[in-house]
Amino acid sequence: MKVLIAGAGIGGFTAALCCLHHGHEVVLFEQANELSQVGAGIQVSPNAMKVFQALGIADAIAERGFRPEAIETRMGESGLTLFKIPLVARAKREWGAPYLHIHRADYVAALAQALLTQAPDAIRLGRSVAGYSQSDTSVSIRFDDGTEEEGDVIIGADGIHSRIREQMFGPGEPRFTGNIAWRAVVPASLLERDRPNATACAWMGKGKHAVTYYLRNGELVNFVGVVERDDWQREGWQERGSKEELQNDFAGWHPAIRELINSADDQELFRWALFDRSPLPGWTDGRVALLGDAAHSMLPFLAQGAAMAVEDAWVLARALSEGVSVSSALIDYQGQRLPRTSKVQSASRSNMTTFHQRTLSGRLRTYGPMWLGGRLAPQVVNARMNWLYGYDVTSRA
Ligand code: FAD
């Protein structure tokens, strides 16, 4: 079967690798002229790593990643630790794979290298997908330059502004969530007095939160700050923000956060508005299916958007190798994935309320039990992530 994939992000690359693994031919079309990713980190949780284990490329990814000591939640101003879930031995033992942080460029480079080793001609750069057409027996992907390529199935892995999705369902209505996000990557060597712990750390605050973690053998610290604000609403990854504005957003926070912000390069501080999209009625149209952010973009408050794309990729490739027809295989894929991605989407959304408690009573009600649970019943707190990280999409059980 010839699988045409629109978009060479984490979802598109993993879909290509999973399709090859299941015996299909693949061609991956990317609009950009070169493979590039924003300068930021990403967390790769054990549920995603299990797909890479099944593909035989987990070590190639892990060797470019950083293994955090724990998942930690702290109060933004005081730095008080609410709870800490140890990861080093636990992730592999209880969830079946390591938990990693990795620079996005290193992640995509590892995926691209694996794909090129197996299928040297599979990647086509500078190919901007405009849409598709199909018959009972084949499907064609159409490019902006007017050319077409024919295959048996199309996977729309073209991200949050997917044109494949637009053809299926129209432009859609992104809703501003009332949050803006900041991102920066800071060399750890610049942090002289206070450094974040070597954990995946979420810092809670009134109407805002931050996430810190290390990349590249601990050489870099990744910072993401999310602030409830409605004075600015542009949805892009590449808009620069001013350091003064970021300092104001996190004024009075723990010294580790303030030092991180003060040490960031002014030219490398970016911000963007966070939008939410209503769930789609479905992800397929005959021989065409959506995957990753194109199908189910989600708020980044559970660090699972790319992990869901990775899980999708395995299920879609497996369904294609087992279905009686392409369209029934794609419907089967959607049926297997929708309940899980919907649950993760809604858990991500509800983390916004958890992370941003504004009132004293809300903070006591939300963080009090976390703090107590972390001390009196850590095993119960630890087990709260089993449904997410313990999931193994490559196993049928
Ligand atoms: P994308 O990464 O958007 O890739 C789409 C690709 O398609 C791009 O290469 C694009 O150039 C290409 N493309 C687009 N249109 C066309 C076209 N017309 N023709 C050809 N090519 C096209 N997820 C996690 O799992 N862990 C995390 O820690 C995490 N942290 C996050 C932090 C933040 C602040 C944010 C905003 C998101 C985070 N996510 C995280 C989510 C994650 O980044 C996304 O879910 C993931 O990148 C989606 O991958 P994708 O391949 O579906 O789409």
Side-chain angles (χ1 to χ4, degrees), residues 29-46:
F29 301 102
E30 167 58 43
Q31 64 183 0
N33 291 321
E34 57 183 43
L35 293 175
S36 67
Q37 283 285 317
V38 290
I42 189 161
Q43 305 187 50
V44 192
S45 50

Side-chain angles (χ1 to χ4, degrees), residues 33 205 215 335 382 388 393:
N33 291 321
L215 304 170
N382 295 355
L388 187 57
V393 81

Side-chain angles (χ1 to χ4, degrees), residues 17 32 49 58-59 94 132 142 145 162 167 171 192 205 213 227 259 261 274 288 299-300 310 313 345 355 377 383 387:
L17 288 162
M49 284 303 288
D59 289 345
E94 291 184 33
Y132 61 87
R142 197 176 60 256
D145 62 8
S162 168
Q167 179 170 340
E192 285 167 1
Y213 54 85
V227 184
E259 181 158 1
I261 293 171
L274 290 176
V288 187
L299 289 170
V310 169
Q345 268 175 314
F355 288 180
W387 70 275

Side-chain angles (χ1 to χ4, degrees), residues 138-183:
S138 69
V139 64
S140 287
I141 200 162
R142 197 176 60 256
F143 300 98
D144 278 335
D145 62 8
T147 58
E148 296 193 359
E149 175 123 357
E150 198 178 88
D152 298 300
V153 55
I154 292 176
I155 300 177
D158 49 345
I160 197 161
H161 301 292
S162 168
R163 288 172 79 181
I164 300 283
R165 183 188 61 217
E166 188 170 338
Q167 179 170 340
M168 280 186 193
F169 299 113
E173 283 293 322
R175 288 182 310 247
F176 180 54
T177 60
N179 290 270
I180 70 150
W182 291 92
R183 70 176 167 88

Side-chain angles (χ1 to χ4, degrees), residues 243-321:
K243 189 184 282 190
E244 195 184 348
E245 198 183 336
L246 178 56
Q247 284 165 330
N248 286 338
D249 275 345
F250 288 91
W253 271 48
H254 189 269
I257 295 291
R258 295 207 316 269
E259 181 158 1
L260 197 52
I261 293 171
N262 294 341
S263 308
D265 180 341
D266 294 65
Q267 297 305 305
E268 298 294 328
L269 276 179
F270 297 92
R271 61 179 188 163
W272 70 104
L274 290 176
F275 282 77
D276 209 359
R277 283 170 172 74
S278 302
L280 295 171
W283 306 344
T284 73
D285 171 18
R287 292 175 170 269
V288 187
L290 303 173
L291 172 150
D293 276 10
H296 45 65
S297 65
M298 55 186 70
L299 289 170
F301 301 162
L302 203 55
Q304 281 295 311
M308 288 301 108
V310 169
E311 289 186 2
D312 289 348
W314 181 272
V315 177
L316 178 42
R318 182 176 62 198
L320 284 174
S321 61

Side-chain angles (χ1 to χ4, degrees), residues 17-71:
L17 288 162
C18 290
C19 285
L20 282 177
H21 181 85
H22 284 87
H24 310 301
E25 182 192 345
V26 292
V27 192
L28 180 57
F29 301 102
E30 167 58 43
Q31 64 183 0
N33 291 321
E34 57 183 43
L35 293 175
S36 67
Q37 283 285 317
V38 290
I42 189 161
Q43 305 187 50
V44 192
S45 50
N47 48 310
M49 284 303 288
K50 277 177 267 191
V51 173
F52 299 127
Q53 286 178 353
L55 291 172
I57 59 168
D59 289 345
I61 292 172
E63 71 193 20
R64 299 171 197 238
F66 177 85
R67 289 190 193 210
E69 288 166 7
I71 295 172

